[in-house]
Amino acid sequence: MTMRQLLLLPVLLCLHLSAWAHKASDSYLVVNAQGAAVTAQWDIAVRDIDFALGLDSDGNGEITWGELRTRQADIAAWALSRLEIKRGGLCPLQLAELQVDEHTDGAYAVLKLNGACPDKTGPLGLRYRLLFDLDSLHRGLLRASVDGTLHTTVLSPTSGEMQFGSESVSRLQQFKQYLVEGIWHIWIGFDHILFLLSLLLPAVLVLHGKTWRGAERFGQAWKEVLWVVTSFTAAHSITLSLAALGLVSLPSRLVESAIALSVVLAAANNVWPVVAHKRWVVAFCFGLIHGFGFASVLAELGLPADALALSLLGFNLGVEVGQMAIVAGFLPVAFALRHTVFYRKGVFVWGSLLTMLVAALWLTERVFDIKLITGVQF
């Protein structure tokens, strides 16, 4: 690899991460089955439809309502070919209306669907495979009501086929469901991960004067990490619970901008240390903001009223498990490399600077509501 290519690597990585500035690809499907009648609302990101079908007819990088409406038949055919609902046989669905709505990560096409099933009773089967052939990270967030009984779940390439009865879901099943969703959400929350890594990078180092040196004992680094992760979890659990219960509500744009700012400041603190010790305080303060970000996915899934506390506990525990998995992979490697120039300069300093740059791009996009790479406009 040439020197020129080496110098271009950080730039290319930065552009790649900028494209992931918002949360990973999701769609939101709400299904209501009452007897033989089925109605549904399916929110699909316009950028995902454009990725699959190509909506930008004039090639100006912006997708308008006119371009979306012109392709209504194609969009409906594409989406409905990737969704099957059965009750005593296939329930043919048709598009009743196409609308547009804004989510925290941009414009979504809203497909209003209706249909009729062969039977009025029995379990409701669902097969979902939207975008799985193009993006294995895509997830469908499903809320299904079957004769008045609510079911919520996350649909993935390995769990795209589900069956729901009219009987209530057990408390243990609800707990497991939200536990898995918490783990998944932290793993695809790239801004949350970068914030956490920014706090973990100095955990294997000790500041002497103005110089960072490798920590002498693994226990010393582990103790620092434990404080950071626990503080972050405690903080986001507080605000996540308040937001999920509807006691506190903040504008999503403000929350997402504040999360990006927290990443900038956490990374900057590594290069120009203001808080060199007790980084758990930083983790706690900014964790309060991140909790509102976690709450957005629960708002889309919907929380079961009969097991609210258990579902919140499962989701929070899932986030903690996801974080500890990241720590388990990062900390031993970082500790082994702590005395090397590669870690102290390459990973710690340059990694922090690159994180600052990426987060600054996110912050610019979120504060000014612009897309630095592509655009969707309505």
Side-chain angles (χ1 to χ4, degrees):
M1 183 177 289
T2 65
M3 181 59 69
R4 182 180 178 182
Q5 289 173 320
L6 285 171
L7 292 174
L8 283 174
L9 277 177
V11 177
L12 294 174
L13 179 59
C14 179
L15 290 175
H16 174 72
L17 288 174
S18 176
W20 291 69
H22 302 285
K23 63 185 181 62
S25 170
D26 295 324
S27 83
Y28 305 95
L29 178 61
V30 179
V31 177
N32 181 32
Q34 193 68 39
V38 176
T39 59
Q41 176 176 313
W42 198 359
D43 292 19
I44 306 173
V46 172
R47 64 177 183 276
D48 288 339
I49 301 175
D50 180 47
F51 179 59
L53 300 181
L55 299 175
D56 188 12
S57 58
D58 56 12
N60 67 348
E62 295 180 348
I63 301 167
T64 64
W65 166 241
E67 290 171 325
L68 190 68
R69 185 175 52 189
T70 301
R71 300 290 300 279
Q72 175 173 313
D74 294 334
I75 294 169
W78 169 72
L80 292 177
S81 69
R82 285 156 173 77
L83 176 66
E84 293 179 4
I85 295 178
K86 295 181 178 181
R87 196 172 204 182
L90 187 64
C91 311
L93 297 174
Q94 60 183 3
L95 179 66
E97 187 178 3
L98 177 66
Q99 299 176 346
V100 174
D101 193 12
E102 286 287 332
H103 288 241
T104 59
D105 58 337
Y108 277 64
V110 180
L111 285 68
K112 299 292 184 70
L113 309 171
N114 57 42
C117 300
D119 288 351
K120 296 182 179 180
T121 59
L124 187 81
L126 183 142
R127 185 185 183 199
Y128 176 103
R129 53 184 185 277
L130 183 73
L131 283 175
F132 290 156
D133 56 334
L134 300 175
D135 180 6
S136 62
L137 294 179
H138 173 79
R139 294 295 182 270
L141 277 68
L142 172 69
R143 186 164 73 248
S145 176
V146 182
D147 297 329
T149 300
L150 183 65
H151 307 266
T152 58
T153 191
V154 179
L155 303 165
S156 70
T158 58
S159 63
E161 295 192 36
M162 307 293 293
Q163 193 170 69
F164 306 100
S166 56
E167 67 279 0
S168 300
V169 178
S170 72
R171 299 292 178 89
L172 180 60
Q173 287 175 312
Q174 289 176 336
F175 177 81
K176 288 180 178 179
Q177 173 186 314
Y178 284 92
L179 175 71
V180 171
E181 175 56 27
I183 296 173
W184 172 249
H185 191 67
I186 191 66
W187 284 353
I188 64 171
F190 303 105
D191 42 10
H192 302 302
I193 290 177
L194 276 187
F195 175 74
L196 183 62
L197 288 177
S198 295
L199 295 176
L200 293 180
L201 283 173
V204 296
L205 303 175
V206 177
L207 186 64
H208 291 277
K210 296 184 178 180
T211 304
W212 289 98
R213 299 178 183 174
E216 293 300 323
R217 301 182 309 277
F218 183 80
Q220 182 180 4
W222 171 247
K223 182 179 179 181
E224 173 75 10
V225 167
L226 189 61
W227 273 100
V228 166
V229 173
T230 302
S231 298
F232 182 65
T233 299
H236 74 62
S237 297
I238 293 172
T239 48
L240 168 61
S241 300
L242 291 174
L245 293 171
L247 300 177
V248 179
S249 178
L250 294 179
S252 61
R253 185 172 166 187
L254 173 62
V255 171
E256 296 297 325
S257 299
I259 289 174
L261 179 61
S262 74
V263 180
V264 172
L265 295 178
N269 188 64
N270 292 340
V271 183
W272 302 284
V274 174
V275 182
H277 306 286
K278 295 184 177 181
R279 280 181 291 273
W280 64 267
V281 177
V282 176
F284 184 86
C285 292
F286 284 123
L288 295 172
I289 297 296
H290 284 248
F292 288 107
F294 289 132
S296 63
V297 69
L298 289 184
E300 299 291 352
L301 270 175
L303 283 168
D306 60 338
L308 186 60
L310 196 61
S311 300
L312 281 172
L313 176 62
F315 188 87
N316 279 314
L317 184 58
V319 171
E320 178 76 357
V321 170
Q323 290 175 161
M324 294 310 296
I326 295 171
V327 170
F330 169 82
L331 189 59
V333 176
F335 187 77
L337 297 174
R338 70 195 185 283
H339 292 306
T340 64
V341 175
F342 169 75
Y343 184 84
R344 287 187 289 109
K345 297 294 184 182
V347 176
F348 181 65
V349 176
W350 285 104
S352 297
L353 289 172
L354 180 60
T355 298
M356 285 176 57
L357 181 57
V358 171
L361 289 174
W362 294 351
L363 181 61
T364 302
E365 285 193 337
R366 297 172 186 184
V367 169
F368 297 103
D369 194 22
I370 60 174
K371 300 288 189 296
L372 298 178
I373 307 298
T374 59
V376 177
Q377 183 177 14
F378 290 93

